[in-house]
């Protein structure tokens, strides 16, 4: 049985000035789908959600949707009633259920009464306050009677999300639901959507979220909507095939034009009446345009001054806000080339950690030593470094016609073109820019400062997928040190050499490697002793095979493989425990680079042993057969 078609929009056409948003585009949504909407900033993703929600419908657009379709929306610029508490704001999402209960208690015809009762049973809507308690607990929202006026941005976003999903609509529309949320909340949203029985359409730049949740990806590209079944990885493969096919078609078109133009130039017969059809065909093909391609940011981080072995040393650092411990007895030492990802729940102290490093805050106790060769460069989460009253040009130029980018001197206009600000946008006031444009401008400004130690607080917010990829490549090529506070797990996996996690109670946990490795080793999941872990991790080979084709040397190697793997596992575990120890940098700070190299070699040796064990076991199994 085919899934129900909940919504279809056809003949979508919309232009804003010279920019084409939709060019005879179409989109449908079927029951049970989880559709991700992606595209460059400004391509019309939010507008598409408004079309689906019914708040903005272009002229002549054909809309077909299921009767009585219930739609809930969490827009990017959501609004809460600041005079109400969190509970009261979320309760607004239950209005449809409260109306059903009210109708159920009135005198109705039996058939209608049974229909309402069936709906109340289907949604388990008899105890709505219990549902409200449950959603607030899962999204870690305090049941505070105070108005939400002074709640944090992340808390307000969780309230808006709870209000949307508690209504259990047929179609849920989410615009950037993961922005400004911590990883724990994002993972809860992922699990909720993965198990949800309804249909969801969401805009996000979180590639890990896309990979886990999407059953279909739709891309907005130059007014067209392209659909790709599957998740983000499937989209990348499908998009590559589409672009390759478009390029092949364009090559055929150009070959045809080259052949025909030679015929037109050389043959007087081309102008004869019987050949006018061929000439018109040539003119029609020549009038067609080739595939459009977006420009890419030319994002190059200039090489900073060389640093010595001593970079930054934090020893026994503690800080309190009132009675709350933000950081306690913290020790850390940066090694050259370290790219540190910082994670933790909202309010855990991640931004405070950056401010301690730059000297904006002083610790209550302990010391922070910064080498004289270190030059910090800080990208603030709130983009406060941008003056909203200035134009893009004035913000970057500061009255000069050229900028110094490392050893290169270029004009301000050329520099801004690298960040995709064309002539129309260069003189635009900053308060009129989109979130993505502000993010690009913040990067453009901060990179001018140079420096050899970058501090990035949520750098991925508002950047589109293409810009994210280019930022990652630039950071990987950067020769200095880096701290990146981020909830973007895909980003952290790509750029991090180490991860530091704060738990919100003043404690920190450090691991070498990327975010996935940190997730595997963080304290909540590391509960056994090293030897027990090593023993549990060793694959137990089956009984020794009949030794027909294995040489005597191979037999002995296989028999001793379990013991060698156990020893290698224990060696890796020793390094893991050393790195995760709170006093690691106090005890081993001067040797951290050397120990990191030894740890990586131990991991490679273990992987090699596993590979050799599998090879010998395969050969032995073939002998038995």
């Amino acid at each position: 049985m085919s899934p129900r078609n909940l919504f279809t929009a056809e003949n979508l056409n919309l232009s804003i000035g010279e920019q084409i948003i939709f060019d005879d585009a179409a989109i449908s949504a079927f029951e049970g789908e989880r559709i991700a909407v992606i595209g460059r900033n400004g391509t019309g993703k939010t507008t598409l959600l408004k079309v689906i929600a019914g708040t903005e419908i272009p002229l002549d657009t054909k809309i077909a949707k299921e009767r009585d379709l219930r739609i809930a929306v969490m827009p990017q610029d959501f609004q809460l009633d600041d005079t109400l508490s969190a509970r009261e704001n979320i309760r607004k999402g239950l209005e449809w259920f409260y109306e059903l209960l009210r109708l159920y208690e009135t005198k109705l015809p039996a058939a209608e009464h049974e229909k309402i009762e069936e709906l109340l049973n289907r949604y388990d809507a008899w105890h709505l306050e219990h549902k409200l308690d449950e959603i607030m607990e899962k999204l870690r929202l305090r049941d505070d009677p105070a108005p939400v006026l002074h709640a944090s941005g992340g808390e307000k976003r969780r309230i808006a999300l709870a209000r949307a999903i508690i209504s259990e609509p047929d179609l849920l529309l989410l615009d950037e639901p993961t922005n400004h949320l911590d990883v724990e909340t994002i993972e809860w949203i992922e699990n909720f959507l993965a198990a949800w029985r309804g249909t969801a359409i969401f805009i996000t730049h979180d590639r890990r979220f896309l990979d886990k949740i999407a059953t279909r990806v739709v891309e907005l590209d130059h007014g067209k909507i392209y659909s790709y079944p599957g998740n983000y990885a499937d989209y990348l493969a499908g998009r590559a095939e589409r672009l390759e096919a478009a390029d092949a078609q364009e090559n055929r078109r150009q070959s045809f034009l080259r052949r025909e133009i030679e015929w037109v130039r050389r043959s007087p017969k081309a102008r004869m009446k019987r050949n006018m059809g061929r000439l018109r065909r040539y003119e029609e093909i020549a009038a067609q345009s080739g595939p459009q391609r977006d420009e890419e940011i030319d994002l190059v981080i200039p090489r900073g001054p060389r640093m010595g072995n001593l970079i930054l040393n934090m020893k026994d650092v503690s800080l309190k806000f009132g009675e709350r411990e933000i950081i306690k007895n913290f020790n850390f030492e940066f090694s050259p080339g370290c790219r540190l990802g910082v994670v933790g729940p909202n309010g855990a102290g991640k931004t405070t950690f950056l401010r301690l490093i730059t000297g904006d805050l002083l610790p209550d106790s302990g010391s922070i030593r910064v080498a004289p060769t270190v030059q910090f460069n800080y990208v603030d989460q709130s983009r406060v470094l941008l003056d909203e009253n200035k134009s893009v040009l004035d913000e970057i130029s500061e009255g000069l016609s050229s900028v110094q980018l490392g050893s290169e001197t270029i004009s301000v206009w050329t520099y801004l073109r690298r960040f995709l600000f064309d002539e129309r946008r260069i003189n635009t006031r900053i308060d009129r820019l989109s979130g993505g444009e502000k993010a690009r401008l913040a990067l453009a400004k901060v990179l001018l400062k140079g420096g050899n130690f970058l501090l990035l607080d949520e750098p991925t917010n508002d950047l589109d997928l293409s810009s994210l990829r280019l930022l990652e490549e630039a950071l990987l090529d950067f020769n200095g040190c880096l701290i990146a506070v981020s909830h973007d797990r895909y980003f952290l996996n790509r750029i991090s050499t180490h991860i530091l996690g704060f738990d919100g109670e003043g404690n920190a946990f450090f691991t070498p490697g990327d975010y996935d490795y940190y997730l595997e080793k963080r304290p909540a999941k590391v509960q056994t002793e090293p030897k027990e872990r090593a023993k549990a991790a060793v694959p137990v080979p089956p009984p020794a095979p009949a030794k027909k084709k294995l040489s005597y040397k191979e037999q002995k190697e296989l028999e001793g493989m379990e013991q060698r793997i156990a020893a290698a596992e224990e060696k890796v575990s020793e390094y893991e425990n050393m790195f995760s120890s709170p006093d690691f940098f106090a005890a081993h700070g001067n040797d951290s680079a050397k120990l990191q190299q030894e740890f990586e070699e131990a991991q490679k040796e273990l992987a090699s042993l596993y590979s050799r064990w599998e090879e010998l076991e395969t050969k032995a199994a073939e002998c038995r057969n």
Side-chain angles (χ1 to χ4, degrees):
M1 185 176 177
S2 300
R4 289 152 43 215
N5 186 345
L6 301 183
F7 177 92
T8 296
E10 296 177 322
N11 298 349
L12 269 170
N13 291 283
L14 180 65
S15 297
I16 300 176
E18 297 179 4
Q19 184 183 3
I20 297 174
I21 304 298
F22 303 125
D23 179 15
D24 199 27
I27 185 171
S28 293
F30 293 86
E31 182 184 22
E33 284 195 299
R34 298 189 296 272
I35 303 171
V37 180
I38 64 174
R40 287 277 186 128
N41 289 330
T43 55
K45 300 186 296 295
T46 295
T47 303
L48 181 62
L49 253 59
K50 289 179 179 178
V51 170
I52 297 169
T55 58
E56 185 172 326
I57 301 178
L59 290 173
D60 301 323
T61 297
K62 295 180 181 178
I63 301 290
K65 60 182 179 180
E66 191 175 65
R67 185 179 179 183
D68 299 326
L69 182 70
R70 290 194 306 118
I71 300 176
V73 186
M74 191 191 95
Q76 193 170 3
D77 54 349
F78 61 85
Q79 297 292 324
L80 299 178
D81 189 332
D82 286 339
T83 66
L84 300 180
S85 68
R87 174 178 282 269
E88 290 166 332
N89 270 285
I90 298 169
R91 189 181 284 120
K92 289 187 174 185
L94 293 169
E95 288 176 352
W96 186 71
F97 296 114
Y98 278 115
E99 178 62 17
L100 286 180
L101 286 170
R102 189 190 66 78
L103 290 171
Y104 182 77
E105 293 171 357
T106 61
K107 291 183 179 180
L108 294 169
E112 199 167 333
H113 197 273
E114 287 177 8
K115 181 180 177 181
I116 291 174
E117 185 175 10
E118 190 274 328
L119 287 171
L120 290 169
N121 287 329
R122 185 196 307 173
Y123 292 102
D124 189 21
W126 300 103
H127 306 287
L128 295 178
E129 292 301 306
H130 175 70
K131 290 171 79 78
L132 212 160
D133 290 336
E134 193 175 54
I135 197 72
M136 291 184 72
E137 180 183 353
K138 287 177 178 176
L139 284 172
R140 294 179 290 115
L141 290 165
R142 296 169 297 162
D143 195 358
D144 189 338
V148 299
L149 178 63
H150 300 297
S152 68
E155 190 171 8
K156 286 183 176 180
R157 183 166 287 271
R158 295 201 304 276
I159 292 169
L161 178 65
R163 182 179 61 186
I165 64 179
I166 201 171
S167 65
E168 298 187 63
D170 304 307
L171 182 56
L172 178 64
L173 307 179
L174 303 173
D175 195 347
E176 297 290 2
T178 65
N179 261 11
H180 308 288
L181 295 181
D182 55 59
V183 172
E184 187 176 351
T185 304
I186 293 171
E187 289 174 347
W188 182 87
I189 300 170
E190 286 176 347
N191 294 331
F192 168 81
L193 289 176
W196 192 46
R197 61 188 175 189
T199 302
I201 302 177
F202 55 92
I203 298 169
T204 185
H205 297 139
D206 187 324
R207 291 155 291 180
R208 184 77 165 258
F209 188 87
L210 273 169
D211 244 351
K212 185 171 180 180
I213 297 304
T215 59
R216 180 156 63 100
V217 177
V218 297
E219 179 189 20
L220 274 66
D221 186 14
H222 293 93
K224 300 295 186 182
I225 296 178
Y226 300 95
S227 180
Y228 306 88
N231 60 10
Y232 180 64
D234 298 317
Y235 152 73
L236 290 176
R239 184 176 188 271
E241 289 177 6
R242 175 175 73 81
L243 295 180
E244 186 177 347
D247 288 340
Q249 184 175 348
E250 175 63 8
N251 288 337
R252 289 193 295 271
R253 187 177 79 93
Q254 293 296 337
S255 295
F256 169 82
L257 292 176
R258 283 193 294 270
R259 290 194 305 270
E260 294 300 284
I261 201 168
E262 284 298 315
W263 171 74
V264 170
R265 285 174 178 171
R266 293 184 179 183
S267 175
K269 295 180 181 179
R271 294 164 185 80
M272 294 177 65
K273 188 173 182 179
R274 68 172 182 270
N275 290 321
M276 292 306 291
R278 181 174 178 179
L279 191 59
R280 280 195 299 271
R281 172 67 174 160
Y282 163 76
E283 291 169 346
E284 288 171 4
I285 298 295
Q288 295 174 3
S289 59
Q292 292 178 288
R293 295 286 190 269
D294 285 312
E295 291 183 87
E296 300 230 321
I297 294 176
D298 186 8
L299 210 168
V300 178
I301 302 176
R303 299 181 70 84
R306 186 179 179 280
M307 292 187 286
N309 290 328
L310 176 63
I311 298 172
L312 173 67
N313 188 356
M314 304 177 75
K315 187 173 182 180
D316 298 326
V317 172
S318 295
L319 179 68
K320 278 186 177 183
F321 288 160
E323 294 299 314
R324 184 176 169 225
E325 284 188 301
I326 305 298
I327 295 175
K328 57 185 178 185
N329 300 323
F330 182 74
N331 293 282
F332 198 88
E333 183 171 338
F334 270 85
S335 56
C338 177
R339 297 191 299 273
L340 179 70
V342 180
V343 298
N346 289 336
K350 304 186 295 294
T351 299
T352 300
F353 175 66
L354 297 186
R355 295 182 65 197
L356 281 169
I357 287 174
T358 60
D360 290 343
L361 287 175
L362 297 177
D364 296 330
S365 61
S367 63
I368 301 175
R369 291 178 56 206
V370 181
T373 54
V374 171
Q375 295 179 12
F376 290 121
N377 204 336
Y378 187 15
V379 179
D380 189 276
Q381 180 181 4
S382 60
R383 319 289 188 208
V384 293
L385 69 164
L386 298 178
D387 185 340
E388 298 277 323
N389 296 314
K390 286 185 176 180
S391 69
V392 171
L393 179 64
D394 292 340
E395 183 70 8
I396 295 297
S397 69
E398 298 181 347
L400 301 175
S401 61
S402 61
V403 295
Q404 191 71 30
L405 193 63
S407 59
E408 184 183 12
T409 301
I410 59 176
S411 73
V412 176
W413 284 66
T414 300
Y415 181 65
L416 285 170
R417 284 288 300 170
R418 290 185 174 189
F419 290 85
L420 307 186
F421 290 101
D422 59 20
E423 289 74 9
R424 294 171 298 171
R425 303 301 283 171
I426 281 176
N427 288 309
T428 302
R429 272 177 41 138
I430 292 170
D431 60 356
R432 295 174 184 168
L433 299 180
S434 68
E437 287 173 321
K438 287 180 181 179
R440 294 204 310 269
L441 185 60
L443 284 173
K445 183 173 181 180
V446 80
L447 293 181
L448 280 178
K449 295 181 180 179
N452 50 21
F453 201 131
L454 293 180
L455 303 169
L456 308 178
D457 198 351
E458 298 291 2
T460 66
N461 280 349
D462 302 313
L463 290 180
D464 57 39
L465 295 176
S466 177
S467 300
L468 279 173
R469 179 178 56 79
L470 293 169
L471 174 61
E472 289 163 354
E473 296 296 335
L475 292 175
L476 289 172
D477 288 338
F478 181 57
N479 69 323
C481 286
L482 162 71
I483 303 177
V485 173
S486 182
H487 65 268
D488 189 324
R489 297 152 294 171
Y490 197 103
F491 173 80
L492 291 172
N493 272 342
R494 283 211 69 196
I495 64 104
S496 299
T497 59
H498 306 78
I499 298 289
L500 181 65
F502 290 98
D503 65 357
E505 298 177 3
N507 302 308
F509 179 67
F510 171 83
T511 64
D514 61 16
Y515 177 77
D516 282 346
Y517 189 77
Y518 159 82
L519 202 62
E520 179 186 342
K521 299 300 179 182
R522 63 183 175 180
K525 296 192 176 184
V526 183
Q527 297 173 348
T528 56
E529 291 299 318
K531 290 183 180 179
E532 292 174 333
R533 288 207 313 276
K535 185 176 179 182
V538 177
V540 180
K547 302 175 179 63
K548 290 182 180 179
K549 295 184 181 179
L550 285 177
S551 69
Y552 178 78
K553 185 178 178 181
E554 286 173 331
Q555 292 172 21
K556 289 298 182 183
E557 185 181 3
L558 180 58
E559 289 167 3
M561 189 60 74
E562 181 177 350
Q563 186 175 356
R564 292 176 65 191
I565 289 176
E569 280 274 10
E570 183 147 3
K571 186 177 180 181
V572 168
S573 294
E574 287 171 1
Y575 279 109
E576 289 172 351
N577 289 324
M578 183 192 307
F579 278 110
S580 62
S581 172
D583 62 351
F584 169 76
F585 285 100
H588 307 286
N590 294 332
D591 299 320
S592 60
K594 179 184 175 186
L595 290 170
Q596 172 69 23
Q597 184 177 356
E598 292 175 359
F599 175 51
E600 291 172 358
E601 289 172 356
Q603 288 179 309
K604 289 178 183 176
E605 181 184 358
L606 179 60
S608 176
L609 287 171
Y610 278 139
S611 178
R612 179 58 175 163
W613 173 81
E614 185 177 358
E615 180 185 343
L616 291 172
E617 268 303 312
T618 301
K619 188 173 182 180
E622 289 172 354
C623 293
R624 288 195 296 269
N625 294 333

